[in-house]
Amino acid sequence: MKKKDEGKVDKVIDKLSESFEDNRLSTKKTDLLSYSHDYWPISLHWMLEDKFPSIPNAVVWPEDKEEVKEVVRWCYKGRVPLYPYGGGSGVLGATVPEKGGIIIDLKRMRSLQVDDQDLLVEADSGLNGYYLEDSLNEEGYTMGNIPQSLYPSTVGGWVGTKATGQFSTKYGGIEEMLKGIEVVVPPGKILNFKPHPRTSTGPDLRKLFVGAEGTMGIMTKGWFKIWPYPERRIKLSYASERLEDAVESVRKVMRRGAEPAVVRIYDEMETKRHFYDHEDIYGKIATVIIIEGDEKIAEVEREIVEEEFIGEYKGEGPVDHWLETRFNVKEASEFVPMGVVFDTIEVAVNWSNAEELYERVIESIKPIKGVLFASAHASHFYPQGICFYFTFAGTPPRKKDAESFYQQVWSEAMKAVIGSGGTISHHHGVGRQRKDWLEDELGGGLKMLKDIKEKIDKRDIMNPGNLGL
Amino acid sequence: MPGRWDWLKEELSGISMLTKLPTMTKFLKGKISGPDDMTKCSMCPNMCRHACPISIVDGKETTSPAGKSRVGMMIENEVLSLDRENLLPIHMCLSCGCCEIWCPFDFSVSDILRPVKTRAVEHNIVYEEFVELFDDLRENGTIYEEIEDQGDLPDDGDVLYLRGCEYREGDSEVIDRTMSVLKKVGTDPFVIYDEKCCGIPAYNTGNIGLFEDLIEDMAEKIRGSGADRVVTSCPSCAYAYKELYPEFDQNIDAEISHIVEFLEGKKLKFAPNKNTDRFTFHEPCKLVNGLGKKESMQDLLDRTGLELEKPRRNGDETFCCGSGGTTVSRLNEELSSEVARERLSELKSLSDEIITSCPTCKRTFEDNDEEVKVHDIAEIVDGLL
Ligand SMILES: Cc1cc2nc3c(=O)[nH]c(=O)nc-3n(C[C@H](O)[C@H](O)[C@H](O)COP(=O)(O)OP(=O)(O)OC[C@H]3O[C@@H](n4cnc5c(N)ncnc54)[C@H](O)[C@@H]3O)c2cc1C
Ligand code: SF4
Ligand code: SF4
């Protein structure tokens, strides 16, 4: 940050210190370094190398919307960059304060209220994901948004990134759950889009903040649809000979209108990796399925799956194994400090191009020098298509640093996705990692997005640089 | 049955040895020996954040479980200097072990960070609040200024009841009721009048030297009492005697239990419940996570026949009262109170009558809310036996 800009930030921090006590506004080095990264592998790598290229000037923890408004107002006045922060579990650098400025962490805003009759939950943006889902379960409901990052992430981050959970094939992505939203936008205005079952009142402005990754404003609270806690859960698993068989089976299931909550199809390598102790599945294509909800509907859905599935039925065991291990996140901890580059890339594609996309992405990554493996599973399904979740690991070859090796893999994968008619992100978003491919994805739409952003945030304070905006 | 790494071997079978060896080595090293625990935890996306009372209430990355490890790592890597300000987030830990329950590596952040705290103490980088505590522990053998033992308790018998600093200082009623329970179950309880601190506050603050001195003294006293059974009111004391003393070569032959553990499996004949009040309960983290007694307190309460309301966070998902771990309540009273209020609001939505089995939890709840009535489990059991 330039000297002149430092002065502006200091003035804003001074102003904020009039209303925020010491423990809710910090310029301490421990705090600044703690907010210099999120879960973007590049930023984790920086941390391991003791490099801190993006450090904020301050961190603030508001407790209500008025305080959020105050922060936005002063930052806007002082032209100081402001980065909304939830759980920092985003994997694409969307909270990395690349231009310095202020991080606004929403986690101290965390109340929730359930409306039984309307089947809605009103949740503050900083509310922890597990806290929300567990509280709902306790009262006999579910929201059904269970990302693998349920434990560390927040409601605001879910909306910010347009997240989807493991149970999304039934419950949908966060955009389908979000019924109303309260946001603070520059220059410091609170907007409240109340929840309705549906509304036909011009373009849906609520959606402007879904997947905006903190570039349009700050969500302070949302209203989400909830469901009575499922009375029945059915667990099914299959081993198929070919990936195409499993994919085709699920396509037919979806086409018939059945909506299993969880469907996961693992390619051969991931089947071996995840189910190495299930001898009868090893080397095949494993699919795990969970159907849940109303007893009668669930039974009908089971029948549909059983009628359509091409593969050998393998019982509940593999599903239980998945349920037990689904939150075991260990890879980055074990391998990244040893110099292994490791990441995941999730994309979506219509059924007609599914096979081609899978093949092309794997084939584009594997030959890269240093790549150890590339594999995928399919994790979210629609009547129209499928989400593939690729995983790769490798070590940079001699004379190549980790960052450029990483970018090379990403670049090849993105090209393969676009070339086979897919979308470059299914649920992680864009952040600072995918921004260079956004134009290929949106075409002229990117200019429109930039115009909208400029209109809302003329001084470009909201998460500047994120999404390439 | 295929081996854990067969998939990788098969994947690499087509690649030349020269290419695959370095990668393979790094990969397997990550699995087998791997980085140190602090680095591993630093690289975790906070998969236990939801269970960490500090993280939920404080809402800061810096004091989240992985966040604390990151600060620790930065201190170890000399990105941050070893000073009071930088150490502060590390001390925002209740040693409750709530992280461990969810951790894929079974880490407890308080254990991971203890070496950093210890190094600080060795370099005399301590807070005023710690100096006071260390003085009290060293000079008086308790966390308080000298405790005057009151009452007229037997100093001979077959079960040694260690009352702990907290009850000795302020709650002779619970002491009497615990003695009564022990008698009703057919034992002959006694106390030692020069009982001292179990040492855990020194351990929590990283003063291992002081901890070793304290435990040597206390272990000697316990051994000297001749008891072959020891019962405590405080789960942290029981944890120290059972788990930490042997680790530091202070072995006590007597069987040690917290009162809840002691009553587990005992035949207890409870009077029919005439109490119309509804109770809720708070399971202390050191009982559940430290001593691994995940269901014992609930089982005991169920046997009493009382009308009980179960809090959302119970069993191994229990929440700290806010005063665990010694450091938070001394360095950041407000945060400690916030944790207490978070827990109290959950409990109070069920009942104002709270049963717990830890002197620190009891005192913390009473200090933070005048409306609630907090009972030690011994009081409840004694009333119904
Ligand atoms: C182990 C692991 C597993 C994951 N699994 C999934 C998964 O299954 N599904 C999935 O979708 N994602 C997954 N993710 C990615 C990530 O968890 C999600 O993107 C999540 O939604 C991010 O939430 P967060 O609270 O951590 O947000 P952050 O990372 O803090 O922020 C993400 C973005 O949202 C913005 N933001 C945060 N709060 C607000 C707010 N109140 N107002 C406006 N903008 C805001 C930020 O500025 C940033 O741009 C996973 C990540 C990890 C590390
Ligand atoms: S021991 Fe308790 S307070 Fe400390 S990090 Fe773990 S869960 Fe949080
Ligand atoms: S204690 Fe375990 S789960 Fe918690 S942050 Fe550390 S590594 Fe992750």
Side-chain angles (χ1 to χ4, degrees):
Chain A
M1 188 174 263
K2 291 185 203 133
K3 267 247 152 353
K4 180 176 87 181
D5 293 334
E6 295 274 2
K8 285 193 304 198
V9 183
D10 289 346
K11 266 193 207 148
V12 170
I13 296 171
D14 275 353
K15 275 288 163 209
L16 291 176
S17 65
E18 288 169 18
S19 30
F20 285 85
E21 319 89 83
D22 272 1
N23 70 331
R24 295 198 296 116
L25 173 67
S26 173
T27 54
K28 285 184 189 163
K29 202 168 169 193
T30 43
D31 288 319
L32 304 186
L33 296 185
S34 298
Y35 285 88
S36 64
H37 61 86
D38 55 11
Y39 212 63
W40 183 25
I42 295 274
S43 68
L44 292 178
H45 187 69
W46 290 337
M47 190 176 23
L48 279 173
E49 303 254 287
D50 297 337
K51 284 191 220 148
F52 296 90
S54 304
I55 302 179
N57 297 73
V59 185
V60 64
W61 294 270
E63 287 182 343
D64 59 40
K65 64 181 173 200
E66 292 302 327
E67 288 190 345
V68 174
K69 186 173 131 179
E70 170 105 351
V71 176
V72 174
R73 200 163 64 83
W74 283 114
C75 285
Y76 197 78
K77 256 194 164 154
R79 295 174 188 268
V80 167
L82 182 60
Y83 310 84
Y85 197 103
S89 69
V91 286
L92 299 160
T95 66
V96 170
E98 63 171 297
K99 301 193 175 160
I102 296 177
I103 294 264
I104 180 166
D105 183 340
L106 283 305
K107 285 196 290 291
R108 288 181 71 90
M109 292 174 57
R110 57 188 184 91
S111 64
L112 87 157
Q113 208 170 350
V114 174
D115 183 332
D116 172 71
Q117 188 166 18
D118 296 341
L119 278 179
L120 286 173
V121 61
E122 182 181 322
D124 277 358
S125 60
L127 191 64
N128 174 272
Y130 178 85
Y131 193 109
L132 169 64
E133 182 61 21
D134 192 49
S135 304
L136 287 172
N137 294 170
E138 178 79 8
E139 291 185 43
Y141 310 94
T142 179
M143 190 164 122
N145 194 51
I146 324 280
Q148 194 192 28
S149 55
L150 181 75
Y151 302 161
S153 61
T154 65
V155 170
W158 293 351
V159 174
T161 54
K162 201 174 181 188
T164 56
Q166 296 161 338
F167 289 60
S168 75
T169 300
K170 174 181 173 71
Y171 298 104
I174 199 73
E175 72 281 9
E176 286 157 88
M177 296 168 190
L178 184 84
K179 288 290 180 184
I181 188 169
E182 181 185 84
V183 282
V184 177
V185 292
K189 227 184 320 179
I190 300 172
L191 301 178
N192 198 319
F193 302 98
K194 283 261 149 57
H196 300 292
R198 187 171 190 275
T199 171
S200 170
T201 45
D204 193 344
L205 293 174
R206 293 170 301 185
K207 295 283 158 73
L208 199 53
F209 303 94
V210 182
E213 300 186 30
T215 57
M216 301 288 174
I218 301 175
M219 169 181 156
T220 44
K221 102 169 121 179
W223 288 265
F224 301 88
K225 76 176 178 193
I226 55 174
W227 305 60
Y229 194 77
E231 59 177 17
R232 176 97 167 96
R233 182 177 265 194
I234 298 168
K235 296 180 267 186
L236 308 168
S237 76
Y238 293 90
S240 309
E241 291 303 325
R242 303 176 315 150
L243 184 62
E244 304 89 279
D245 292 343
V247 168
E248 180 62 6
S249 308
V250 179
R251 185 182 74 82
K252 286 189 177 152
V253 167
M254 300 300 299
R255 195 180 173 86
R256 286 179 64 183
E259 286 182 339
V262 176
V263 183
R264 300 173 77 84
I265 303 174
Y266 298 88
D267 71 3
E268 189 182 325
M269 187 175 155
E270 294 211 1
T271 300
K272 286 179 184 167
R273 210 167 95 210
H274 294 292
F275 301 98
Y276 64 92
D277 50 356
H278 288 71
E279 212 165 348
D280 52 341
I281 294 182
Y282 194 86
K284 301 211 161 121
I285 301 296
T287 302
V288 297
I289 296 175
I290 296 178
I291 296 166
E292 64 177 35
D294 177 90
E295 172 93 44
K296 286 186 184 156
I297 299 175
E299 281 304 334
V300 172
E301 288 182 323
R302 175 219 285 269
E303 273 174 43
I304 293 178
V305 171
E306 284 172 349
E307 280 168 22
E308 298 296 349
F309 219 94
I310 312 163
E312 207 178 317
Y313 179 63
K314 292 292 173 191
E316 294 193 348
V319 191
D320 288 333
H321 174 76
W322 174 74
L323 283 168
E324 278 158 26
T325 53
R326 68 192 161 131
F327 294 119
N328 276 357
V329 176
K330 288 174 148 184
E331 289 82 1
S333 297
E334 287 177 331
F335 304 130
V336 176
M338 309 309 289
V340 177
V341 174
F342 180 94
D343 204 7
T344 58
I345 302 174
E346 31 57 65
V347 300
V349 61
N350 293 333
W351 292 116
S352 48
N353 293 330
E355 211 179 310
E356 182 191 338
L357 183 138
Y358 169 80
E359 300 285 346
R360 279 180 71 168
V361 173
I362 295 283
E363 277 162 23
S364 71
I365 300 178
K366 269 192 174 169
I368 297 172
K369 208 166 170 207
V371 167
L372 188 56
F373 68 82
S375 60
H377 61 268
S379 49
H380 308 263
F381 297 83
Y382 307 85
Q384 289 69 35
I386 183 169
C387 159
F388 278 115
Y389 191 96
F390 294 92
T391 299
F392 71 87
T395 49
R398 273 193 330 128
K399 294 198 185 145
K400 199 162 204 151
D401 61 70
E403 225 171 298
S404 39
F405 171 67
Y406 174 82
Q407 294 300 4
Q408 189 189 357
V409 176
W410 261 88
S411 176
E412 291 306 320
M414 288 292 96
K415 273 191 252 164
V417 171
I418 293 163
S420 34
T423 172
I424 59 169
S425 175
H426 175 265
H427 57 264
H428 286 164
V430 177
R432 291 178 164 78
Q433 172 59 23
R434 273 196 176 110
K435 62 181 166 42
D436 293 342
W437 292 283
L438 200 56
E439 189 158 14
D440 289 321
E441 174 87 24
L442 299 181
L446 181 59
K447 164 86 172 55
M448 185 191 260
L449 190 61
K450 284 183 175 167
D451 290 346
I452 294 170
K453 154 89 174 162
E454 206 195 321
K455 200 78 199 157
I456 294 176
D457 180 17
K458 217 169 273 157
R459 296 186 179 172
D460 194 20
I461 63 155
M462 291 306 313
N463 209 341
N466 200 26
L467 285 107
L469 298 183
Chain B
M1 174 104 63
R4 175 79 181 89
W5 296 106
D6 283 3
W7 63 271
L8 190 58
K9 281 190 222 148
E10 286 163 28
E11 185 63 21
L12 293 172
S13 57
I15 310 176
S16 89
M17 228 13 217
L18 211 64
T19 327
K20 73 184 172 192
L21 207 65
T23 315
M24 189 78 173
T25 314
K26 283 182 187 169
F27 201 79
L28 292 180
K29 247 175 137 181
K31 262 287 165 208
I32 299 157
S33 52
D36 61 89
D37 292 355
M38 201 188 293
T39 306
K40 273 189 187 165
C41 185
S42 301
M43 290 292 111
C44 171
N46 261 317
M47 291 305 284
C48 61
R49 184 209 295 281
H50 61 297
C52 171
I54 291 292
S55 198
I56 285 296
V57 170
D58 203 26
K60 297 177 179 170
E61 285 310 300
T62 325
T63 55
S64 68
K68 286 189 277 247
S69 285
R70 288 166 196 159
V71 171
M73 187 175 78
M74 289 186 233
I75 291 177
E76 296 299 273
N77 293 353
E78 296 178 3
V79 172
L80 290 169
S81 54
L82 186 73
D83 61 35
R84 284 182 200 83
E85 178 164 305
N86 294 338
L87 284 162
L88 207 53
I90 288 181
H91 282 296
M92 292 306 106
C93 177
L94 300 156
S95 298
C96 60
C98 294
C99 40
E100 194 177 344
I101 303 298
W102 300 86
C103 178
F105 302 106
D106 296 331
F107 291 157
S108 171
V109 172
S110 57
D111 290 338
I112 289 183
L113 293 170
R114 190 161 301 102
V116 185
K117 296 180 191 171
T118 304
R119 196 155 69 82
V121 174
E122 282 164 4
H123 286 78
N124 206 18
I125 302 168
V126 287
Y127 306 87
E128 254 170 54
E129 294 82 349
F130 287 7
V131 174
E132 248 169 63
L133 171 72
F134 297 161
D135 286 348
D136 282 334
L137 286 171
R138 206 174 288 118
E139 283 157 28
N140 312 320
T142 84
I143 53 171
Y144 294 106
E145 284 170 27
E146 197 147 18
I147 297 173
E148 287 272 321
D149 266 330
Q150 291 146 11
D152 186 16
L153 299 168
D155 60 3
D156 195 15
D158 58 9
V159 170
L160 170 61
Y161 168 42
L162 293 174
R163 298 155 291 168
C165 301
E166 199 73 63
Y167 280 160
R168 284 176 67 222
E169 162 75 6
D171 215 327
S172 56
E173 170 71 15
V174 180
I175 293 177
D176 292 343
R177 305 294 291 270
T178 311
M179 290 291 282
S180 166
V181 170
L182 291 172
K183 280 183 201 147
K184 286 181 182 172
V185 297
T187 72
D188 184 13
F190 72 104
V191 301
I192 43 177
Y193 274 88
D194 54 352
E195 181 182 332
K196 295 280 190 291
C197 173
C198 65
I200 220 163
Y203 181 74
N204 286 337
T205 42
N207 195 339
I208 299 301
L210 179 58
F211 175 68
E212 285 177 326
D213 292 346
L214 289 165
I215 70 170
E216 190 181 343
D217 187 21
M218 196 53 199
E220 198 43 55
K221 284 188 170 36
I222 298 173
R223 285 191 288 257
S225 76
D228 51 18
R229 285 225 66 156
V230 176
V231 173
T232 74
S233 277
C234 173
S236 292
C237 295
Y239 172 76
Y241 300 135
K242 278 174 88 155
E243 308 289 335
L244 300 180
Y245 279 39
E247 235 178 77
F248 286 82
D249 296 327
Q250 290 297 342
N251 294 304
I252 298 168
D253 289 336
E255 197 179 323
I256 296 150
S257 2
H258 175 258
I259 183 76
V260 167
E261 286 180 291
F262 185 74
L263 296 176
E264 217 175 13
K266 286 242 171 334
K267 272 207 180 111
L268 303 172
K269 212 165 168 291
F270 288 106
N273 174 31
K274 292 205 186 99
N275 204 325
T276 51
D277 294 336
R278 292 177 85 78
F279 293 82
T280 187
F281 58 89
H282 166 84
E283 296 150 288
C285 30
K286 266 289 176 290
L287 176 69
V288 172
N289 300 332
L291 296 169
K293 294 288 163 184
K294 306 205 182 304
E295 280 136 29
S296 307
M297 185 168 150
Q298 281 189 48
D299 286 348
L300 180 57
L301 286 173
D302 285 344
R303 289 164 70 194
T304 62
L306 288 177
E307 289 272 349
L308 290 168
E309 293 282 352
K310 199 192 261 197
R312 173 171 72 84
R313 290 174 283 204
N314 70 81
D316 62 9
E317 289 199 39
T318 194
F319 204 74
C320 181
C321 68
S323 294
T326 313
T327 55
V328 183
S329 55
R330 285 180 168 75
L331 299 174
N332 191 341
E333 224 175 297
E334 177 49 29
L335 179 56
S336 164
S337 275
E338 271 186 88
V339 175
R341 291 198 297 271
E342 161 83 15
R343 181 56 162 168
L344 277 165
S345 79
E346 181 184 355
L347 298 174
K348 282 180 66 176
S349 70
L350 303 169
S351 171
D352 280 349
E353 303 264 357
I354 301 166
I355 305 170
T356 188
S357 54
C358 169
T360 308
C361 300
K362 183 171 186 291
R363 194 224 342 116
T364 305
F365 290 153
E366 284 165 348
D367 287 352
N368 278 281
D369 194 308
E370 285 174 0
E371 287 167 19
V372 291
K373 182 137 184 42
V374 191
H375 311 265
D376 186 284
I377 196 153
E379 298 176 278
I380 297 290
V381 170
D382 187 44
L384 293 169
L385 266 186

